[in-house]
Amino acid sequence: MTSGAGGKTVVCVTGASGYVASWLVKLLLLRGYTVRASVRDPSDLNKTKHLLALDGAKERLHLFKADILEEGSFDTEIDGCEGVFHTASPCNLYVTEENARAELIDPAIKGTINVLASCARVTSVRRVVLTSSSSAVIYNGWPRTPDVVVDETWYSTPDVCEKLKVWYPLAKTLAEDAAWKFAKEKGIDMVVMNPAVCIGPLLRPALNVGATEIMKLINGESFRNFSFGWVNIKDAVNAHIQAFEIPSASGRYFLTERVAHLSEIVDIMRKLFPDFRLPEKFISQTVHNLLILRSINTELYKEVYRRPVGLDHTQSSESGHKLMWCEDDKPFMPIYLASKEKAKSIGIDFMPLEQGIKETIESLKDKGLLDC
């Protein structure tokens, strides 16, 4: 497969206004590809302005309207493309159980199959690169502890996702499974990317999941007792392109530079930005509730909690310092190890987590989204 120099290689990117897809369009253009990119509404400059401003966009970027839920919607634009990067998929991490099937799971599956069906109906497509998620890897009920190495052989299972009521991982798991079955049936050469939470510079106005988590920590909100896998957006996107360009690339690629608890992210941020008024102390939800009660009704606080609760008042909000607490009183969720061997086989040398956090915060500042 060629590098696309001179714009001779034409590729399609679905869901181009998304975080991963925007970076994919950017780097494909920089490599000389001609890019056909789908968006819901090409005339909506709030969603497309950042794409139109990319280097090479004027000469080699074509935006087109398509609906992943409409069969045949991609046929015309995919015809003539050598590669298809399918990133478009619903991304609602907070959907309710009642709405998960209709709003998240079914659209993810149907949209993926519709795009693959368009690929199967043309003769030009050499390879499809599908953006799945690390969440389609890790939810299988197996232990995830500091001595465990997670790799591409792990697959999330629907029963575990349903038991844990994690609907986004369930949607990504079922969509990837359906994609593999369809690709095998139709003889489609497909490679799957399973990136962790992506961080790094922002291209579009909206925040992605990684930037949102970092914003929450900067704003001093409570953080979930959660350990995430993290990866720099540039590494994740380069892996997509390498998977298209390297003929021997195959199967899945688990893209995780490091797994870290949100408390560790705060520690990294404090070292990188010592002038930020970041949280200086971690407290449990129980102690947080005591502080809230004290601020609302001092007398009730004294009545219910007659004995001292061991609060360090020099660190309280009264002193102007921010407090940070975990949303439960359980031990921190453990971290685990992520295999990088297969990603290295396609030339990915992961940037350190610290760099991604620094780039994310600097980008937030540049866009005027931070006032600290």
Side-chain angles (χ1 to χ4, degrees):
M1 296 183 187
T2 63
S3 64
K8 295 181 180 179
T9 300
V10 182
V11 295
C12 177
V13 177
T14 69
S17 61
Y19 182 57
V20 173
S22 293
W23 266 98
L24 190 50
V25 171
K26 176 183 174 72
L27 296 190
L28 284 167
L29 289 173
L30 288 176
R31 291 199 188 199
Y33 285 91
T34 291
V35 181
R36 299 176 183 175
S38 76
V39 292
R40 291 181 181 178
D41 182 2
S43 66
D44 184 355
L45 292 180
N46 290 327
K47 300 290 183 65
T48 62
K49 185 178 180 180
H50 67 287
L51 296 172
L52 297 172
L54 295 172
D55 288 345
K58 184 177 180 180
E59 299 80 15
R60 290 177 283 106
L61 175 63
H62 168 63
L63 300 182
F64 67 95
K65 182 177 182 178
D67 183 352
I68 61 171
L69 300 184
E70 180 182 335
E71 186 176 355
S73 183
F74 288 83
D75 285 6
T76 301
E77 297 295 343
I78 284 179
D79 191 9
C81 292
E82 294 186 34
V84 174
F85 296 87
H86 178 46
T87 75
S89 185
C91 184
N92 184 348
L93 302 184
Y94 307 106
V95 68
T96 63
E97 181 175 358
E98 294 76 18
N99 297 327
R101 175 63 62 176
E103 295 183 9
L104 193 63
I105 298 169
D106 288 346
I109 298 171
K110 184 177 180 180
T112 298
I113 296 304
N114 281 343
V115 171
L116 290 177
S118 291
C119 296
R121 283 191 285 268
V122 303
T123 59
S124 61
V125 175
R126 297 186 186 181
R127 176 170 288 174
V128 175
V129 180
L130 172 69
T131 307
S132 183
S133 167
S134 63
S135 65
V137 174
I138 64 176
Y139 287 100
N140 53 21
W142 298 353
R144 282 183 277 138
T145 52
D147 60 333
V148 171
V149 180
V150 176
D151 63 17
E152 291 80 3
T153 65
W154 286 44
Y155 287 83
S156 294
T157 56
D159 58 332
V160 170
C161 293
E162 291 173 356
K163 181 179 180 181
L164 295 174
K165 298 184 183 299
V166 285
W167 309 119
Y168 177 75
L170 177 60
K172 299 302 285 188
T173 298
L174 293 175
E176 184 186 329
D177 182 61
W180 281 120
K181 291 176 179 176
F182 188 90
K184 182 177 180 180
E185 176 187 343
K186 299 296 184 179
I188 297 173
D189 182 354
M190 185 179 76
V191 181
V192 173
M193 301 287 109
N194 297 93
V197 174
C198 294
I199 53 176
L202 302 171
L203 294 181
R204 60 179 191 159
L207 299 182
N208 69 309
V209 173
T212 298
E213 291 292 340
I214 289 175
M215 281 280 284
K216 286 181 180 179
L217 297 177
I218 293 174
N219 289 332
E221 300 177 14
S222 63
F223 67 89
R224 289 188 289 159
N225 185 0
F226 209 84
S227 297
F228 287 104
W230 306 84
V231 64
N232 194 295
I233 183 64
K234 289 171 281 188
D235 287 331
V237 169
N238 271 322
H240 281 68
I241 299 174
Q242 292 290 88
F244 171 66
E245 293 183 349
I246 298 175
S248 60
S250 63
R252 311 166 88 210
Y253 290 84
F254 184 53
L255 306 175
T256 300
E257 191 278 328
R258 190 155 118 211
V259 179
H261 192 275
L262 288 174
S263 60
E264 183 181 350
I265 303 303
V266 173
D267 288 338
I268 293 172
M269 289 162 56
R270 182 177 294 113
K271 293 175 182 177
L272 291 172
F273 299 92
D275 294 334
F276 276 16
R277 293 184 62 231
L278 293 169
E280 298 187 12
K281 180 181 178 182
F282 293 92
I283 61 175
S284 71
Q285 183 68 36
T286 299
V287 175
H288 166 249
N289 290 340
L290 296 184
L291 290 173
I292 293 297
L293 179 59
R294 184 180 66 190
S295 67
I296 296 174
N297 191 324
T298 304
E299 293 305 315
L300 179 59
Y301 171 84
K302 291 178 180 178
E303 179 67 23
V304 177
Y305 302 100
R306 294 180 181 276
R307 291 178 294 175
V309 294
L311 295 175
D312 178 0
H313 298 297
T314 62
Q315 294 289 329
S316 74
S317 58
E318 296 171 357
S319 67
H321 293 285
K322 290 182 181 179
L323 291 167
M324 180 68 67
W325 56 90
C326 199
E327 290 183 350
D328 57 46
D329 297 324
K330 299 177 182 178
F332 280 178
M333 177 185 287
I335 61 174
Y336 55 92
L337 299 175
S339 174
K340 303 177 184 178
E341 292 308 307
K342 195 171 182 186
K344 287 182 179 178
S345 72
I346 55 171
I348 304 303
D349 184 12
F350 289 105
M351 303 175 196
L353 173 59
E354 290 80 0
Q355 179 177 338
I357 293 174
K358 185 173 185 290
E359 290 176 344
T360 302
I361 294 176
E362 288 177 342
S363 184
L364 289 169
K365 291 172 67 176
D366 290 343
K367 293 185 178 296
L369 298 174
L370 291 180
D371 56 7
C372 53

